[in-house]
Amino acid sequence: MTQSLNDPVTSLKGIGKTAGEQLETLGIHTIEELVMMFPYRHEDFRLKDLSETPHEERVTIEGRVESIPSVLFTGKKRSRLQVQLLVGNHLIKAVFFNQHYLKDRLNPGQVVTITGKWDRGRQLINVSNFKEGPKIGQADFEPVYSLKGVMKQPTFRRWMRTALDEVADEMPETLPEQLLETYKLPRLSATLEMVHFPSSPDDVKQARRRVVYEELLHFQLKMAALKKVRKEAGKGISITYDLEKLKQFIEKLPFDLTGAQKRVVNELCAELKSPLRMNRLLQGDVGSGKTVVAAIALYAAITAGYQGALMAPTEILAEQHAETLASWLEPFGVTVAFLSGSTKGKARKEIVSRLEIGEIDLLIGTHALIQPDVNFHRLGLVITDEQHRFGVEQRRVLRDKGESPDVLFMTATPIPRTLAITVFGEMDVSILDEMPAGRKEIETHWLKEDSLGPVLRRMEKELQAGRQAYVICPLIEESDTLDVQNAVEVFGQLSTYFAGRFTVGLMHGRLHSDEKDEVMRAFSEGTIDCLVSTTVVEVGVNVPNATFMLIYDATRFGLAQLHQLRGRVGRGADQSYCVLLADPKTEEGKERMLTMAETNDGFLLAEKDLELRGSGDFFGKKQSGLPEFKMADLIHDYRALETARQDAEKMLELDSFWNDSEYASLRATVEASGVLKNERID
Ligand code: ADP
Ligand code: MG
């Protein structure tokens, strides 16, 4: 009897109710889901020559037992078994931890196969894998799956064997013949065998090539479909702004625009005017001056009789934007209002109703802007700041509030250009790649944690000169509570240290929003000299008089985040400093600190971060709205990503794509996104 892919795993021989439940915790219900669960790496069990094996490398060898094993008990359940092995003509030691019972199976003269870490200096292998007899019969490569400790690897492999034996021949091919041929990709059934039971490294490589390409092709098909719809069917509004008024506004700004700001303003204006719907990403490193660009674009929409909205991820930032934009725009007759979760009762009602009849030109706020009862009269342009903090869904809701407003996402997350264009394939990208004139590079120093004393004295010098400082406390992953505790502690210490000389303030996520406002206002007015904070100040706040930042335990942050934090200083004309206190334990950690000290360029840092951490971590899984891939990595598989993009775009134009059964699996992806339906009827 053969089974179908959609049958539950429990219909397989040897997989009972308990096993079924275990698999369920891994998200596996059907046979198909089981065979499509890919290992995250493969273990290499090929026999190696010890004389060519580097120190600390894992190695598999065959050896003959040469001594009576000795066992040392080091605790209740702890033991250390040691035995001598002859490997070729090498006499080495093998050490087994907590496996004293193997003593009886290690008799002199007996041949064994072991795998473990090679200690070259001590000529010793720390054994992790043991098999009696020569290696024959043991696989050269074994997949290692992410099983979350639910079951053992061999058990899982056994089930995989059963499943593959049942369905391998029935696996319908999901890629069209022509693609398999062009790229010399293995067929799906062969691919699964090669992934789960490889016999050579090349098997793994070929199988991976296919899986990666297929994943990326699905992803790019979705992107291509979205883009096509937007370009062909996406009717937007044409915003005919008043150029004279815009010029006057720019003239009255307290500074001249940078060349990059002018270029981006022109890009935005051209798109506002065109009847195509704007869907654009504006990238600019911290401090590059995105806010004023947003203000100009919003004012443009307002001069054409539309309303504008600006949404920020935190209350603090939203308020600051409201203040800044009001100070620039109100003199030009623009009515600005602020709306956040803490705007309540009568005040809120009034804003909502004035917005609806069009008395408010510009609404600035937090997520509160997209609550169901907030309706605009004539929304023309929506801008979100630090867009990666917004979910895809929220963006859609906001977009749906107007007829079809233009949308601009601003971000300081410096996504490398090449990647941005491909990944945000359905968006256009503008880049602010120039800092306002007169900015000095922030001086960044990496110091060991025992240098706190001198650092504080240096900070004090800045405070004495009338400047202000940020002190960022270590981030404790997944624990708000500990974050806060930490900040409170540091706040206590610094308050004592600076007692009678300088005012220390405290900011963290647990404060009430009005408390936060108060602290932030006091800091920006200069009543607070030194602000102790968690990462809540990370995004966007602007206090140009702050010239010193101390970051505790800096290794806990990623490069991109450190750069964001550092961007809170260096926003005025004075020289600014950033001190990273860190005792990194790993080489990678050291490299990160050195990189931070060396470069101020967010884009370079982003490339480095990607290199060190991979794309999944970089974008942050939840925030990005990017799909998760089983095998593909947006950085390492960049070439395949680009190939897939070109293929996807061509494919949508093929008649066969819409008709042939070969394309059924790929077509399903496009259809599931729902975007092409209307268009095909035309
Ligand atoms: P970000 O891009 O990080 O959001 P902001 O828009 O907050 O940066 O700008 C940072 C600081 O630079 C602000 O104080 C802003 O007023 C100032 N700024 C912006 N553009 C210019 C310019 N062209 N010349 C001088 N200062 C500018
Ligand atoms: Mg900003």
Side-chain angles (χ1 to χ4, degrees), residues 255-258 261 285-291 436 439 542 571:
F255 42 73
D256 291 334
L257 295 183
T258 63
Q261 283 170 327
D285 207 345
V286 274
S288 60
K290 293 183 290 295
T291 317
R439 289 282 169 77
N542 188 36
R571 302 175 79 84

Side-chain angles (χ1 to χ4, degrees), residues 253-259 261 282-294 317 320-321 324 328 385-386 410-412 432 434-439 539-544 564 567-568 570-572:
L253 284 170
F255 42 73
D256 291 334
L257 295 183
T258 63
Q261 283 170 327
L282 170 56
Q283 289 193 347
D285 207 345
V286 274
S288 60
K290 293 183 290 295
T291 317
V292 69
V293 171
L317 185 55
Q320 201 172 44
H321 278 337
T324 310
W328 287 338
D385 196 10
E386 308 299 347
M410 302 200 294
T411 180
L432 279 182
E434 184 185 346
M435 286 291 167
R439 289 282 169 77
V539 183
V541 286
N542 188 36
V543 180
Q564 285 293 308
R568 295 313 108 217
R571 302 175 79 84

Side-chain angles (χ1 to χ4, degrees), residues 32 163 169 187 258 279 289 295 333 425-426 430 439 447 453 481 490 497 516 528 531 598 612 616 650 677-679:
E32 179 169 20
D169 297 341
R187 311 186 71 79
T258 63
N279 187 34
E426 96 292 5
S430 286
R439 289 282 169 77
L447 296 170
T481 325
V490 173
Y497 183 86
K516 277 190 215 159
I528 290 175
L531 183 62
E598 268 164 23
L612 292 173
K650 275 188 233 143
K677 278 217 185 83
N678 303 336
E679 208 193 6

Side-chain angles (χ1 to χ4, degrees), residues 80 111 179 252 259 292 311 324 390 404 421 435 477 570 614 640:
R80 183 180 192 275
V111 173
L179 280 179
K252 280 273 152 55
V292 69
M311 184 155 74
T324 310
F390 286 103
S404 54
I421 290 169
M435 286 291 167
E477 235 150 305

Side-chain angles (χ1 to χ4, degrees), residues 276-461:
L276 283 181
R277 181 189 287 190
M278 181 194 297
N279 187 34
R280 186 174 281 268
L281 183 70
L282 170 56
Q283 289 193 347
D285 207 345
V286 274
S288 60
K290 293 183 290 295
T291 317
V292 69
V293 171
I296 297 168
L298 288 164
Y299 184 50
I302 292 163
T303 63
Y306 286 94
Q307 289 170 304
L310 174 60
M311 184 155 74
T314 66
E315 177 119 9
I316 299 172
L317 185 55
E319 262 210 25
Q320 201 172 44
H321 278 337
E323 256 166 51
T324 310
L325 268 67
S327 76
W328 287 338
L329 288 165
E330 277 173 0
F332 288 82
V334 174
T335 313
V336 182
F338 174 77
L339 186 69
S340 80
S342 49
T343 322
K344 298 231 163 74
K346 229 177 101 193
R348 184 173 192 284
K349 262 201 199 118
E350 197 191 315
I351 289 175
V352 170
S353 69
R354 287 179 63 211
L355 188 70
E356 213 160 342
I357 55 173
E359 272 182 26
I360 289 169
D361 301 313
L362 175 55
L363 188 63
I364 298 176
T366 57
H367 286 79
L369 256 64
I370 52 172
Q371 281 160 9
D373 66 328
V374 179
N375 294 304
F376 290 82
H377 175 63
R378 208 176 168 218
L379 181 58
L381 174 63
V382 174
I383 300 184
T384 75
D385 196 10
E386 308 299 347
Q387 65 88 27
H388 61 292
R389 299 252 158 164
F390 286 103
V392 174
E393 179 58 15
Q394 288 155 331
R395 293 187 223 164
R396 193 189 58 72
V397 172
L398 185 54
R399 205 156 40 208
D400 289 349
K401 284 199 175 288
E403 291 118 82
S404 54
D406 284 342
V407 182
L408 177 68
F409 304 103
M410 302 200 294
T411 180
T413 303
I415 304 156
R417 189 186 193 114
T418 44
L419 186 64
I421 290 169
T422 322
V423 172
F424 296 100
E426 96 292 5
M427 281 200 212
D428 298 303
V429 182
S430 286
I431 298 187
L432 279 182
D433 49 8
E434 184 185 346
M435 286 291 167
R439 289 282 169 77
K440 297 200 176 66
E441 288 238 318
I442 302 166
E443 253 183 52
T444 303
H445 300 275
W446 164 33
L447 296 170
K448 295 288 168 64
E449 274 158 15
D450 56 18
S451 320
L452 183 61
V455 172
L456 288 181
R457 284 194 289 281
R458 183 67 192 74
M459 178 156 110
E460 190 160 353
K461 263 176 78 181

